[in-house]
Amino acid sequence: MYRYDEFDHTFVEERVAQFREQVARRLSGELTEDEFKPLRLMNGLYLQLHAYMLRVAVPYGTLSSQQMRKLAHIARRYDKGYGHFTTRQNIQFNWPKLEEAADILAELAEVEMHAIQTSGNCIRNVTADHFAGAAADEIEDPRVTAEVIRQWSSLHPEFSFLPRKFKVAVTGASNDRAAIKVHDIGLQMVRDARGRAGFKVIVGGGLGRTPLIGETIREFLPKRYLLSYLEAILRVYNELGRRDNIYKARIKILVKEIGAKAFAEMVEKEWQFLKDWDVDLPDEEFARIQAYFAPPPFDDLPAVTASFEAQRFENRDFARWVRNNVDAHKAPGYAIVTVSLKPEGGVPGDATAAQMEAVADLAARYSFDEIRVSHEQNLVLAHVRQADLYAVWQGLIAAELASANAGLISDIISCPGLDYCNLATARSIPVAQRISRRFADIERQHDIGGLKLKISGCINACGHHHVGHIGILGVDKKGQEFYQITLGGNADENAVLGRIVGPAFSYDTVVDAVETIVDTYLGQRRNGEAFNQTLARVGFDPFKEKLYAPH
Amino acid sequence: MPLIKDSQIVEDVWTSLDDGAPLAPGVWPIVSLERWQAERETLMEAGVPIGLRLRSDQSPRAIAEELEHFGVIALAFPKFTDGRPYSSARLLRERYGFTGELRAVGHVLRDQALFLLRCGFDAFEVAPDTSPDAWRAALAKIKVRYQSAADHRSTAGRLSRKAVRPAQARTPALSLEPEPCAASWAY
């Protein structure tokens, strides 16, 4: 993984000192809250319902064991002993004190981490496929691109005060695990007719109150022009994006209003001026960054590991966990492990300090010292020998992290909701907890099969409900929480927005409604169809009938 | 408003004129785009240098062919969170080769100083209580640069390790010598 050199170290240390001074000016009253707000937001510090919240960047979701241990330390020393992994592959601490914020940043700097641009109207932490470097369907490790973008966008002088926040996601594979079509810019590595690697460029996707699927504005961008092309997109957006209405300020609105074709033409025109300027990285610098993401030294192993096959055969629970939480690896004899942060009745994405340390230890011992955070709010050990899977599973059991539910109905994406967030209009965590308890029977979950359920506590859609197979949106109606359900959404390469099934449900009845939807699906399912396939075949009516039938 | 250049308070030789205010002998006016467009001939015959003021929603693309007439261009920040003048500044410097004074006016805080400088601004109208020392200190806070911009400090930053030189300038007015940057507006 990427390692800081002297240059990067200097940068984060300068930044900590700068922020320490800004906090001092705020505490002394020299800066007003209005003036301080954009500055603290640029360093990931939010003011939430009950306290400050610090969002720490995990670039493209990759952590070393040492970094994970530092996060555990911060959780213990500065917070209440836990942290929350987010849909943007970051981690949030919910209870830091303003006076200690700079100290936390200094601790992070020690392990080559920061909270820069995890908030504010700037280019945010760049996300990537959490199976990067391990997936068989990959053209190139997308983290190289993401790291190049991370560096280029760090304190970008022109693009630090955009109309609105700006999120970039990168995938190196054709199977999209990074939800690139619902980002401001989505980059998919592709090859041209001559076999050269480059990017398909998608802009204007996003969720929130105006959910839109991104539009492709360039089928193939040669790799070497990555930054000049991004600079062209960002400049067009910075100049023309709306600033009169916060709800219409994202690039998706600009692309929608002028049309993807017209937008693409403006970008191309701007790019003609920028492409041979000095924006793009020279090949040597690209190669320097790429070298950090060289594959780890995999051993030459047979594709099938006899001991692993025997353990699977002998232990039903292990076999079940493998079936759901273990994916195929590109290197023979290795596997990808998803560590579920969705225990029965738990808070999706939360991990205690002890759990973070347990995962750090397992990564150090079994997965080349590397951990990933997925946008589905789980952790990933990307390079585990099949022969070690049983030991990893045992270690996860000891840490209460062995839920065998990756990709199943209780693997819920949920925003923090009204329990923490000052934008929320309804609780989402307790709904997620109740659903996971209702479907606690793991056999039943397996029978239901892969199903993505996503919950947002307000219209801003941090829980990605629009792209859940089942999406739940919490709304406030005259002081009461209600939950609108959408069906048929999807966040992968065939991204599509779900549609509202009918009138909203109360807090008390929403879990029953989910169960009714699932039962209806099971009743209608043919030949192992996935949820969205059944929905496409039978339509919404059978679901409506069951949900809204007079009792 | 105090004017900072080279991290020092300097005397302002320009006067910002409202659209209705008369020209006066010996006064170097900074006028709005509307006034420039309406009174172009009169202003050019006044016998004094002319400055132009652009709101953040006015693109310099509109006056790219007329830059030779302006000694200063003032780009206004209605709020310091309005980032459009940064793009305007880079266009003026890098694409259109403007070598006169580029002035940040409006809501200008020292926390923006580095961004402003890197986009090509070289003069800053600041709040009356701004100390030049604090301004200088703010500029010194972050020395590392990850990307090239109008200051062409890429050569001093990330890219220098490989001794990469920037592409050739399109505009003869800008010198792209690696370091120090020889253009008159660079620090």
Side-chain angles (χ1 to χ4, degrees), chain A residues 5 8 158 239 270 288, chain B residues 61 87 95 146 158 161:
Chain A
D5 61 9
D8 303 299
E158 184 179 349
E239 290 192 275
E270 189 63 28
R288 185 188 75 85
Chain B
R61 294 171 197 269
S87 288
R95 186 156 317 159
Y146 278 101
R158 167 61 75 185
R161 225 180 345 224

Side-chain angles (χ1 to χ4, degrees), chain A residues 2 5-12 14-15 17-19 21-22 25 30-31 34-35 38-39 42 121 150-162 231 234-235 238-241 243 269-270 272-282 284-285 288, chain B residues 56 59-61 79-88 90-91 93-95 107 109-112 114-116 118-119 134 137-138 140-150 152 154-159 161-162 164-171 174 176:
Chain A
Y2 187 73
D5 61 9
E6 197 182 333
F7 186 92
D8 303 299
H9 275 294
T10 306
F11 172 66
V12 292
E14 287 176 342
R15 186 67 172 176
Q18 181 191 44
F19 188 58
E21 185 242 22
Q22 288 165 342
R25 281 159 68 205
E30 185 192 335
L31 283 177
D34 274 356
E35 287 171 334
L39 304 176
M42 296 279 283
N121 294 335
R150 183 191 75 81
Q151 296 192 12
W152 161 78
S153 64
S154 291
L155 301 197
H156 197 293
E158 184 179 349
F159 306 131
S160 288
F161 298 98
L162 296 168
E231 196 140 318
L234 266 294
R235 179 168 290 167
N238 191 42
E239 290 192 275
L240 298 181
R243 292 173 187 267
K269 198 172 158 200
E270 189 63 28
Q272 294 312 312
F273 288 102
L274 291 168
K275 64 189 284 197
D276 292 308
W277 196 243
D278 62 351
V279 181
D280 287 303
L281 278 192
E284 312 90 277
E285 177 59 11
R288 185 188 75 85
Chain B
S56 63
S59 171
R61 294 171 197 269
K79 294 180 295 188
F80 90 93
T81 49
D82 185 336
R84 286 174 286 192
Y86 295 104
S87 288
S88 301
R90 287 194 66 187
L91 284 171
R93 290 297 194 210
E94 295 173 77
R95 186 156 317 159
H107 194 195
L109 300 175
R110 70 185 198 234
D111 305 284
Q112 296 160 273
L114 193 61
F115 295 143
L116 292 167
R118 295 209 55 213
C119 286
K141 285 247 160 23
I142 307 281
K143 296 179 197 71
V144 166
R145 290 134 170 78
Y146 278 101
Q147 61 295 103
S148 71
H152 295 286
S154 60
T155 49
R158 167 61 75 185
L159 307 183
R161 225 180 345 224
K162 304 295 174 194
V164 172
R165 295 168 70 94
Q168 286 306 304
R170 290 154 188 278
T171 49
L174 278 180
L176 291 179

Side-chain angles (χ1 to χ4, degrees), chain A residues 31-50:
Chain A
L31 283 177
T32 65
E33 176 55 25
D34 274 356
E35 287 171 334
F36 180 58
K37 185 178 171 186
L39 304 176
R40 66 169 163 76
L41 288 180
M42 296 279 283
N43 286 286
L45 194 65
Y46 280 75
L47 191 55
Q48 288 289 38
L49 267 186
H50 312 293

Side-chain angles (χ1 to χ4, degrees), chain B residues 19-93:
Chain B
D19 282 355
L23 296 173
V27 169
W28 297 11
I30 299 177
V31 299
S32 69
L33 177 63
E34 290 81 357
R35 185 164 184 177
W36 166 254
Q37 287 170 339
E39 302 175 24
R40 200 166 180 275
E41 301 307 319
T42 317
L43 288 164
M44 282 169 63
E45 286 162 15
V48 288
I50 302 293
L52 180 72
R53 188 170 62 240
L54 293 179
R55 293 194 313 265
S56 63
D57 62 351
Q58 294 174 324
S59 171
R61 294 171 197 269
I63 42 98
E65 303 300 319
E66 302 175 285
L67 294 179
E68 63 197 23
H69 303 299
F70 308 122
V72 57
I73 297 178
L75 299 175
F77 288 82
K79 294 180 295 188
F80 90 93
T81 49
D82 185 336
R84 286 174 286 192
Y86 295 104
S87 288
S88 301
R90 287 194 66 187
L91 284 171
L92 284 167
R93 290 297 194 210

